[in-house]
């Protein structure tokens, strides 16, 4: 028990830092494993062990010290070329790291750490040491070693007497240290005050990390002599949080002030207030930064996990990490750890194939998992991709049907992406065997829940035979965001700027531009049809009364983006852009999907923050419910969400439709800007070349139209943009469709009733492949699978 | 279920019934009347109030207990509680005194009272002149949609 030590806090600090050191040591060992000649990695591990040894002796933790000492010796011998580095040593080092971790954990739980058995390990290390010493050329070194040993052992003897006053012990040690002027003292201070030096070079960047662990100030004796290169300080987390709150309040008060000042005419007052505004913004930005931590803090453990896991199941897998210093609010860092861990373990366990399988499919034996993080439009995106098996759409489809989550027909009608997303459904797992690693069927849905709980989204893409990519998007900051204040009736609402794509005002006649397709209002925005949602419907409160004079009536639409989709939100009034402080809403209101929180706006009023994703989710399902009510006379009504379809007129004036999910945008293109390139039609489009595919050509129908401009649907074909030329673009509809006939002809997935008329739902992927616009030796999915 | 923590209760009235909550949980009492309504919130949520920069959800206890609306709002008060690291306000008709109770006067909830107030009590203290019903805070704060 830690009764021995008067100053328990010093021990706590030792433990916190030791854990960090050991993590750094693991990194070093694995770097070293990749390249046994990597001197830097070796040095890094050596330094960690050295520090651990020194500090643990300072606390009288003989057991820790003993192991650290032996391990350090082995490395020292390698450094002096007395011992040949090999895989066995790497394994021993990893074992040492694990044992040390165990000891530290026991210590932090207040248990006896001496029970951690490392006799066998120490024996092996001793053997290597003795071998190495035999090879040691200069006897002088041996003496130096002995002297060092003595120095480290002496302070320990002082300590075995529990009765002694701690302060006296400290002083004694310090005297010893002073006398020797060896690393002893520096060990403790450097250990306590400056960790960064011991951490191995990561990604060749030396990023100073602010340490904000909970730790009371270090005792004066030790901190007095902190190293001059120390540029970090430790402060309590609660202090940072307090600062955050105060800054939030400051921003609010500044906003209020600005509102009042803007009405005055005093120039000096206005400009002073502006200056205040700038300083406040900068203050806020910097305080926010203190809350940000690099993703690396969560990722650090993964390489080791992947290594150990892959070895245990006989696979060769490498984990690469890109963008480790991408920063994330500290409150979110913890929340993503579990989801990430699960996805990675999944990739290792199920995604990546065994070395033989990989060889047989022409891949490298070593599988690769890539962790990537970057910032994008106010969010942090984390991608986990593997080059493994990819998802088997048929297996998943079968599972969906077997679990009764959807009927066979529905599943056949779903886009690939929709099918893949079913793996997030509770109780879903296609793993043939439930291993103790993953596959229990409780993982993926928990992953999604956890990520959504912090306001993020998770999605995935997969190519059978090539691999899978998971994408997690998390909001960047929590507290203060730029937003637009809008009104419905007499209430204020707020929309985060990051969700806004544009603003539209319709006056008088223009209001007719909102068209109505089967009960869903839509608006044509630069060629795209976007659904319209009325804020009044969302909040179920009446709108402002219509103007008497039709000419004067105005309609305001806020174009809102949710993931890759857009919709228009009709509001009564658009007020202004403001920086608002996001306040937690209270657990009683958390379940209301349309709100993301509440805030206090400039004039001191409370305004609810609209959750655009929640609105989209709710309103889309509402619309499809409406549609299904109308269609209830049909037999065999499908359950499940309606999908969006782009309706077009194909060759021969045929009614056709394309799954809207894969449609990137719609364009009208001048015929004369189309060029011919090696017998294909292409277009210079947005800085690159866009390949064009004519539906008429595919279906072998004469292109009769000689209009100057063509209607092109920009389609997402496996990540590439392809232009599909159609006769006319009709509508975008959201419907649950009923499949009437499957595969009626090449290029058509099935026939279905869309808007009460028979429509051909195109299999655009097949159309693209059938147009043979890629190299001849590109195999289609089926051909590859058959191989 | 015995109430064994603090023995001081903050009391208030709903109609003629005297109710109490542990004084330990009570942060303050304020008269604030400006509730910002939250559309689509549970019916017993009267709205949110701005308490010196903190947004607090205010629950109308009358609504929560399915009682009629208050006829005399002149003495209505907000009791600001701290529960599970967040603050919540309970709107009551009238504030009573802080009372120290004697555990020997504790009794379980009689059936008729339990029915009338929908099981939102944990127990009763017999005071000199009236009965003090102890509010089941946890249940009170579980709002249905």
């Amino acid at each position: 028990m830690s009764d021995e030590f008067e100053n328990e806090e010093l021990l706590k600090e030792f433990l916190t830092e030791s854990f960090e050191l050991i993590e750094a040591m693991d990194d070093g060992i694995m770097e070293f494993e990749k390249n046994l000649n990597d001197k830097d990695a070796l040095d890094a591990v050596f330094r960690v062990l050295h520090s651990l040894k020194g500090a643990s002796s300072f606390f009288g933790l003989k057991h820790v010290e003993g192991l650290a000492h032996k391990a350090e010796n082995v490395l020292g011998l390698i450094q002096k070329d007395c011992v040949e580095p090999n895989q066995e040593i790497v394994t021993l080092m990893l074992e040492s790291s694990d044992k040390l971790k165990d000891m530290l954990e026991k210590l932090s739980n207040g248990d006896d750490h001496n029970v951690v058995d490392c006799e066998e390990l120490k024996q092996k290390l001793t053997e290597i040491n003795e071998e190495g010493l035999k090879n040691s050329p200069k006897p002088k070194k041996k003496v130096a070693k002995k002297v060092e040993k003595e120095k480290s052992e002496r302070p320990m003897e002082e300590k075995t007497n529990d009765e002694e006053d701690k302060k006296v012990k400290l002083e004694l040690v310090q005297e010893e240290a002073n006398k020797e002027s060896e690393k002893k003292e520096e060990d403790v201070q450097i250990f306590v005050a400056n960790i960064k030096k011991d951490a191995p070079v990561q990604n060749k960047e030396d990023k100073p990390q602010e340490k904000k662990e909970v730790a009371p100030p270090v005792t004066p004796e030790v901190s007095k002599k902190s190293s001059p290169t120390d540029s970090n300080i430790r402060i309590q987390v609660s202090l940072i949080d307090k600062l955050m709150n105060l800054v939030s309040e400051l921003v609010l008060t500044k906003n209020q002030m600005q509102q009042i000042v803007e009405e005055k005419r005093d120039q000096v007052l206005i400009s002073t207030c502006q200056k205040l505004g700038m300083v406040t913004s900068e203050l806020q930005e910097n305080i926010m930064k203190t809350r940000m931590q690099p993703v690396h803090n969560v990722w650090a453990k993964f390489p080791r996990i992947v290594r150990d896991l892959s070895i245990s199941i006989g696979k060769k897998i490498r984990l690469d990490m890109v963008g480790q210093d991408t920063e994330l609010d500290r409150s979110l860092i913890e929340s993503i750890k579990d989801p990430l861990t699960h996805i990675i373990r999944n990739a290792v366990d199920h995604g990546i194939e065994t070395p033989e399988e990989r060889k047989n499919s022409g891949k490298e034996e070593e599988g690769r998992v890539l962790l990537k993080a970057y910032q994008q439009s106010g969010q942090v995106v984390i991608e986990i991709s593997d080059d493994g098996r990819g998802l088997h759409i048929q297996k998943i489809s079968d599972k969906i049907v077997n679990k009764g989550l959807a009927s066979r027909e529905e599943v056949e009608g779903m886009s690939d992406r929709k099918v893949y997303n079913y793996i997030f459904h509770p109780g879903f797992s296609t793993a043939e065997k439930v291993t103790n690693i993953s596959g229990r069927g409780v993982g993926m849905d928990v992953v999604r829940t956890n990520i959504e709980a912090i306001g993020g989204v998770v999605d995935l893409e997969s190519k059978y035979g090539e691999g899978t990519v998971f994408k997690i998007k998390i909001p960047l900051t929590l507290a203060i965001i730029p937003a637009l204040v809008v009104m419905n009736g007499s209430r204020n609402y707020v929309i985060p700027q990051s969700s806004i794509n544009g603003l539209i005002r319709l006056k008088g006649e223009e209001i007719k531009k909102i068209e109505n397709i089967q009960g869903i209002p839509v608006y044509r925005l630069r060629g795209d049809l976007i659904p319209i949602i009325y804020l009044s419907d969302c909040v179920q409160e009446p709108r402002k009364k219509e103007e008497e004079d039709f000419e004067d009536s105005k309609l305001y639409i806020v174009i809102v983006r949710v993931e890759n989709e857009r919709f228009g939100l009709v509001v009564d009034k658009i007020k202004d852009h403001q920086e608002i402080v996001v306040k937690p809403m209270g657990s009683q209101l958390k379940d209301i999907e349309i709100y993301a929180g509440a805030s206090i706006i400039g004039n001191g009023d409370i305004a609810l923050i609209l959750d655009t994703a929640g609105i989209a989710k709710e309103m889309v399902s509402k619309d499809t419910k409406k549609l299904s009510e109308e269609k209830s006379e049909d037999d065999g009504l499908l359950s499940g969400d309606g999908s969006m379809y782009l309706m077009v007129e194909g060759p021969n004036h045929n009614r056709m439709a394309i799954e809207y999910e894969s449609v990137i945008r719609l364009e009208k293109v001048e015929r004369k800007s189309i060029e011919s390139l090696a017998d294909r039609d292409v277009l210079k489009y947005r800085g690159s070349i866009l390949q064009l595919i004519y539906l008429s050509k595919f279906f072998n129908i004469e292109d009769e139209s000689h209009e100057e401009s063509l209607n092109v649907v920009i389609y997402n074909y496996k990540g590439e943009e392809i232009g599909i030329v159609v006769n006319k673009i009709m509508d975008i509809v959201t419907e649950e469709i009923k499949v009437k006939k499957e595969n009626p002809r090449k290029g058509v997935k099935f026939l279905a009733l869309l808007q009460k008329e028979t429509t051909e739902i195109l299999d655009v992927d097949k159309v693209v492949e059938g147009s043979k616009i890629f190299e001849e030796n590109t195999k289609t999915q089926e051909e590859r699978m058959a191989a | 279920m015995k109430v064994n923590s603090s023995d001081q209760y903050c009391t208030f009235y709903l109609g003629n019934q005297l109710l109490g909550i542990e004084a330990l949980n009570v942060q303050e009492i304020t008269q604030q009347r400006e509730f910002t309504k939250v559309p689509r919130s549970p019916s017993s949520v009267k709205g949110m109030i701005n308490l010196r920069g903190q947004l607090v959800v205010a629950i109308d206890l009358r609504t929560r207990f399915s009682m009629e609306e208050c006829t005399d709002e002149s003495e209505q008060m907000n009791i600001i509680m701290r529960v599970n690291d967040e603050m919540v306000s309970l709107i009551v008709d009238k504030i009573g005194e802080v009372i120290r109770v004697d555990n020997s006067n504790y009794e379980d909830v009689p059936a008729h009272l339990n029915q009338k107030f929908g099981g939102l009590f944990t127990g009763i203290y017999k005071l000199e002149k009236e009965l003090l019903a102890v509010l089941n805070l946890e249940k009170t704060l579980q709002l249905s949609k």
Side-chain angles (χ1 to χ4, degrees):
Chain A
M1 282 292 278
S2 36
D3 293 341
E4 296 180 75
F5 307 102
E6 236 180 291
N7 202 336
E8 254 191 60
E9 279 124 6
L10 205 53
L11 177 68
K12 254 196 232 157
E13 223 180 281
F14 159 76
L15 286 171
T16 314
E17 318 216 358
S18 300
F19 279 117
E20 286 171 9
L21 274 184
I22 297 218
E23 233 173 66
M25 183 164 96
D26 275 351
D27 278 348
I29 297 174
M30 286 193 286
E31 280 302 310
F32 177 59
E33 186 181 25
K34 288 185 197 159
N35 172 13
L36 293 171
N37 291 319
D38 187 347
K39 291 280 174 198
D40 291 331
L42 193 64
D43 282 348
V45 182
F46 180 85
R47 283 200 298 274
V48 167
L49 287 167
H50 188 77
S51 303
L52 269 177
K53 180 193 76 177
S56 54
S57 92
F58 174 75
F59 285 98
L61 302 170
K62 280 198 219 174
H63 207 57
V64 178
E65 193 211 344
L67 179 55
H69 188 103
K70 291 224 182 289
E72 178 203 15
N73 282 349
V74 171
L75 291 185
L77 288 173
I78 298 180
Q79 279 175 334
K80 292 173 205 133
D81 295 325
C82 298
V83 169
E84 193 67 36
N86 57 34
Q87 185 61 39
E88 193 207 337
I89 292 186
V90 171
T91 315
L92 289 175
M93 286 297 140
L94 285 174
E95 234 190 279
S96 309
S97 157
D98 286 340
K99 292 282 181 199
L100 287 168
K101 254 184 250 170
D102 283 346
M103 292 186 210
L104 292 177
E105 270 174 33
K106 287 247 180 296
L107 279 168
S108 50
N109 291 335
D111 296 327
D112 182 12
H113 74 290
N114 292 304
V115 304
V116 177
D117 174 35
C118 49
E119 281 316 307
E120 216 184 294
L121 175 60
K122 283 207 259 191
Q123 186 62 32
K124 288 196 195 134
L125 289 171
T126 310
E127 280 171 21
I128 300 181
N129 270 332
E130 283 167 5
E131 270 299 309
L133 285 176
K134 284 190 212 148
N135 298 336
S136 171
K138 297 167 201 156
K140 280 188 216 156
K141 291 240 156 110
K142 262 195 185 174
V143 175
K145 260 199 165 352
K146 262 211 199 133
V147 174
E148 219 185 85
K149 258 187 162 182
E150 278 174 31
K151 279 187 221 150
S152 59
E153 279 173 78
R154 219 178 301 160
M156 263 166 50
E157 287 164 14
E158 310 277 14
K159 273 191 190 9
T160 46
N161 187 349
D162 294 349
E163 293 350 335
E164 264 178 30
D165 185 5
K166 183 70 178 20
K167 287 250 164 64
V168 175
K169 280 187 207 166
L170 255 173
E171 276 156 17
L172 269 173
V173 172
Q174 304 237 306
E175 272 173 33
E176 292 285 351
N178 284 337
K179 278 185 217 157
E180 329 284 1
S181 76
E182 228 265 285
K183 292 192 178 179
K184 180 96 237 126
E185 170 187 300
E186 283 168 41
D187 281 348
V188 179
Q189 274 113 22
I190 292 180
F191 186 83
V192 164
N194 191 346
I195 319 227
K196 217 33 182 99
K197 265 165 101 179
D198 289 330
V201 178
Q202 293 154 2
N203 270 4
K204 287 126 199 149
E205 273 178 65
D206 240 350
K207 209 176 185 296
Q209 286 181 2
E210 273 89 24
K211 298 286 177 192
K212 300 177 285 282
E213 310 296 333
V214 175
V218 184
T219 54
E221 285 97 338
V222 182
S223 60
K224 230 191 289 171
K225 295 171 193 115
S226 39
S227 141
T229 61
D230 190 26
S231 56
N232 300 333
I233 56 167
R234 305 181 78 104
I235 44 178
Q236 295 198 25
V237 166
S238 51
L239 186 56
I240 293 276
D241 285 343
K242 234 189 251 174
L243 280 175
M244 270 294 304
N245 277 333
L246 286 173
V247 169
S248 301
E249 294 305 316
L250 183 61
V251 169
L252 282 178
T253 315
K254 173 211 73 162
N255 286 348
Q256 278 187 305
M257 181 114 139
Q258 268 179 338
Q259 286 224 335
I260 301 171
V261 164
E262 264 157 35
E263 290 164 22
K264 312 281 179 204
R265 297 279 159 205
D266 190 327
Q267 276 305 319
V268 178
L269 187 58
I270 293 179
S271 64
T272 311
C273 194
Q274 278 177 345
K275 264 190 234 156
L276 176 67
M278 290 198 310
V279 173
T280 313
S281 293
E282 232 188 286
L283 178 63
Q284 182 236 321
E285 245 181 72
N286 281 292
I287 294 281
M288 293 303 279
K289 279 198 203 149
T290 64
R291 285 180 59 106
M292 303 289 270
Q293 283 188 352
V295 190
H296 176 79
N297 289 7
V298 182
W299 287 5
K301 296 195 169 69
F302 288 146
R304 179 80 196 270
I305 292 177
V306 170
R307 178 197 179 274
D308 292 345
L309 200 54
S310 50
I311 288 179
S312 74
I313 52 181
K315 294 184 187 172
K316 286 194 202 156
I317 304 180
R318 174 180 98 229
L319 178 70
D320 289 332
M321 304 194 282
V322 173
Q324 299 179 57
D325 14 291
T326 307
E327 291 187 321
L328 198 55
D329 189 280
R330 57 184 303 279
S331 58
L332 302 177
I333 289 265
E334 269 307 305
S335 317
I336 59 166
K337 204 197 292 194
D338 282 342
L340 281 183
T341 309
H342 189 91
I343 296 177
I344 290 178
R345 298 186 99 155
N346 233 26
V348 170
D349 200 21
H350 302 297
I352 306 238
E353 317 93 319
T354 61
E356 303 91 71
E357 274 179 77
R358 289 183 68 88
K359 217 158 80 171
N360 291 340
S361 5
K363 295 185 186 173
E364 283 178 29
E365 276 192 9
E366 193 187 44
R368 186 191 188 218
V369 174
L370 174 65
L371 262 183
K372 197 166 146 188
Y374 52 93
Q375 286 185 10
Q376 189 190 68
S377 53
Q379 295 181 311
V380 168
V381 183
I382 300 182
E383 287 180 17
I384 306 117
S385 49
D386 66 70
D387 61 355
R389 294 194 181 101
L391 292 176
H392 195 299
I393 199 139
Q394 196 53 50
K395 266 201 208 152
I396 299 182
S397 307
D398 289 344
K399 200 83 181 186
I400 296 175
V401 176
N402 291 341
K403 294 248 169 187
L405 299 172
S407 75
R408 175 65 64 182
E409 285 175 337
E410 288 170 287
V411 172
E412 298 296 324
M414 283 181 199
S415 61
D416 286 1
R417 181 163 160 231
K418 200 141 185 221
V419 174
Y420 291 145
N421 269 285
Y422 264 93
I423 69 170
F424 292 114
H425 217 282
F428 191 95
S429 173
T430 58
E432 268 126 15
K433 301 176 287 157
V434 170
T435 66
N436 67 349
I437 296 170
S438 52
R440 255 161 298 177
V442 294
M444 277 304 169
D445 68 306
V446 173
V447 164
R448 177 160 265 183
T449 317
N450 284 359
I451 292 177
E452 288 182 352
I454 56 174
V457 294
V458 57
D459 209 338
L460 73 103
E461 271 172 32
S462 182
K463 277 184 206 167
Y464 185 69
E466 288 183 21
T468 311
V469 180
F470 280 88
K471 239 194 220 181
I472 301 176
K473 289 190 193 151
I474 311 172
L476 190 53
T477 62
L478 298 179
I480 300 184
I481 54 170
L484 183 69
V485 180
V486 299
M487 293 185 83
N488 181 66
S490 56
R491 271 193 229 299
N492 292 305
Y493 298 91
V494 149
I495 305 175
Q497 189 61 44
S498 55
S499 311
I500 298 180
N501 203 247
L503 303 174
I504 295 180
R505 185 185 68 179
L506 298 177
K507 236 174 95 167
E509 279 288 311
E510 291 177 318
I511 297 184
K512 292 218 187 96
K513 281 199 190 157
I514 296 188
E515 304 158 55
N516 215 290
I517 316 244
Q518 278 230 272
I520 308 173
V522 294
Y523 178 78
R524 207 176 286 273
L525 181 70
R526 292 188 287 271
D528 294 335
L529 275 178
I530 57 172
I532 296 288
I533 298 176
Y534 287 80
L535 182 53
S536 49
D537 286 341
C538 290
V539 297
Q540 291 166 7
E541 289 210 329
R543 293 173 54 195
K544 201 175 58 178
K545 268 180 67 184
E546 298 285 333
E547 294 285 330
E548 292 298 334
D549 189 351
F550 183 62
E551 288 295 311
D552 275 346
S553 56
K554 295 193 201 96
L555 199 77
Y556 295 94
I557 309 179
V558 180
I559 309 295
V560 157
R561 188 211 319 276
V562 174
E563 289 182 53
N564 294 326
E565 321 244 326
R566 287 183 297 174
F567 67 88
L569 188 67
V570 175
V571 301
D572 280 343
K573 195 168 165 195
I574 293 180
K575 283 177 86 170
D576 60 343
H577 284 103
Q578 284 186 18
E579 276 187 338
I580 52 129
V581 182
V582 178
K583 298 274 183 184
M585 271 233 303
S587 49
Q588 297 82 11
L589 304 173
K590 265 199 204 132
D591 287 330
I592 311 178
E593 280 204 27
I594 57 173
Y595 303 131
S599 69
I600 302 181
I601 56 176
N603 59 2
D605 283 352
I606 300 176
L608 292 154
I609 304 174
L610 298 175
D611 182 349
T612 48
I615 292 178
K617 207 159 128 190
E618 211 190 67
M619 302 311 282
V620 167
S621 57
K622 260 183 76 179
D623 284 336
T624 50
K625 264 200 216 105
K626 248 202 296 184
L627 283 171
S628 63
E629 274 164 32
E630 284 173 34
K631 278 183 167 249
S632 56
E633 65 267 23
D634 279 3
D635 47 343
L637 190 63
L638 305 176
S639 61
D641 297 343
S643 306
M644 276 175 106
Y645 293 93
L646 172 71
M647 286 183 48
V648 300
E649 188 189 284
N652 248 356
H653 307 289
N654 283 341
R655 272 175 76 93
M656 297 183 161
I658 299 175
E659 277 151 354
Y660 195 57
E661 271 178 336
S662 307
V663 172
I664 300 176
R665 69 188 78 85
L666 307 170
E667 297 278 358
K668 226 170 167 63
V669 156
E670 299 290 303
R671 213 182 260 273
K672 47 189 183 207
S673 42
I674 298 176
E675 302 169 29
S676 193
L677 192 68
D679 182 34
R680 315 214 189 285
D681 276 3
V682 297
L683 186 69
K684 275 206 203 87
Y685 184 69
R686 293 188 175 209
S688 59
I689 304 282
L690 179 76
Q691 305 228 34
L692 293 177
I693 294 182
Y694 294 83
L695 280 185
S696 50
K697 266 202 200 123
F698 181 82
F699 289 108
N700 278 323
I701 302 209
E702 274 285 324
D703 185 9
E704 293 164 336
S705 73
H706 297 290
E707 287 175 20
E708 280 183 10
S709 47
L710 298 177
N711 291 303
V712 181
V713 177
I714 312 292
Y715 178 82
N716 178 2
Y717 174 72
K718 304 189 179 177
E720 267 196 58
E721 290 192 353
I722 305 281
I724 312 284
V725 180
V726 303
N727 280 25
K728 268 199 211 146
I729 293 177
M730 315 263 281
D731 278 323
I732 298 176
V733 296
T734 306
E735 255 185 58
E736 306 159 15
I737 54 162
K738 192 173 172 235
V739 174
K740 282 189 100 186
K741 184 175 179 185
E742 290 189 28
N743 281 322
R745 58 171 170 159
K746 190 165 168 220
V748 180
K749 261 193 197 163
F750 44 79
L751 287 180
L753 279 182
L754 206 59
Q755 295 201 315
K756 295 205 172 91
E757 290 193 45
T758 306
T759 312
E760 289 179 298
I761 313 295
L762 295 177
D763 187 342
V764 185
D765 283 355
K766 288 241 175 61
V767 172
V768 173
E769 284 151 21
S771 304
K772 291 206 167 69
I773 59 174
F774 296 119
E775 306 297 324
E776 296 301 306
N777 57 9
T778 302
K779 291 187 182 173
T780 61
Q781 271 192 9
E782 280 88 32
E783 291 174 71
R784 255 194 245 121
M785 282 204 288
Chain B
M1 203 183 5
K2 271 293 192 135
V3 179
N4 57 11
S5 38
S6 88
D7 52 1
Q8 271 196 323
Y9 281 83
C10 186
T11 65
F12 57 91
Y13 286 93
L14 278 187
N16 288 325
Q17 181 60 47
L18 182 67
L19 298 129
I21 33 185
E22 282 177 39
L24 274 182
N25 295 327
V26 176
Q27 176 160 304
E28 66 188 85
I29 301 191
T30 167
Q31 199 183 47
Q32 254 211 46
R33 294 286 167 78
E34 293 214 16
F35 301 101
T36 301
K37 194 163 175 293
V38 178
R40 302 192 50 189
S41 55
S43 51
S44 44
V45 171
K46 182 118 187 197
M48 288 201 279
I49 55 176
N50 181 349
L51 195 70
R52 296 184 303 278
Q54 277 224 302
L55 298 187
V56 181
V57 171
I59 299 176
D60 188 330
L61 280 187
R62 273 189 172 249
T63 319
R64 183 71 183 92
F65 285 135
S66 312
M67 291 165 68
E68 296 140 5
E69 272 190 33
C70 188
T71 44
D72 179 11
E73 291 193 352
S74 57
E75 294 185 275
Q76 252 190 0
M77 283 293 191
N78 289 285
I79 302 182
I80 313 287
M81 326 255 330
R82 173 154 234 116
V83 183
N84 294 332
D85 271 344
E86 60 174 17
M87 300 212 286
V88 70
S89 165
L90 302 177
I91 303 172
V92 303
D93 289 353
K94 190 172 141 180
I95 290 290
E97 303 187 351
V98 177
I99 292 178
R100 175 154 282 155
V101 294
D102 187 348
N103 274 334
S104 60
N105 293 330
Y106 181 81
E107 278 194 21
D108 283 322
V109 183
H112 72 275
L113 255 188
N114 216 353
Q115 248 192 349
K116 184 175 174 202
F117 289 99
L120 290 163
F121 296 153
T122 54
I124 306 266
Y125 282 97
K126 281 203 298 249
L127 304 179
E128 260 184 50
K129 296 192 199 134
E130 51 200 325
L131 293 177
L132 170 65
V134 178
L135 192 68
N136 183 339
L137 203 54
E138 204 187 302
K139 192 123 188 281
T140 308
L141 297 179
Q142 272 174 9
L143 309 177
S144 49
K145 277 271 169 198

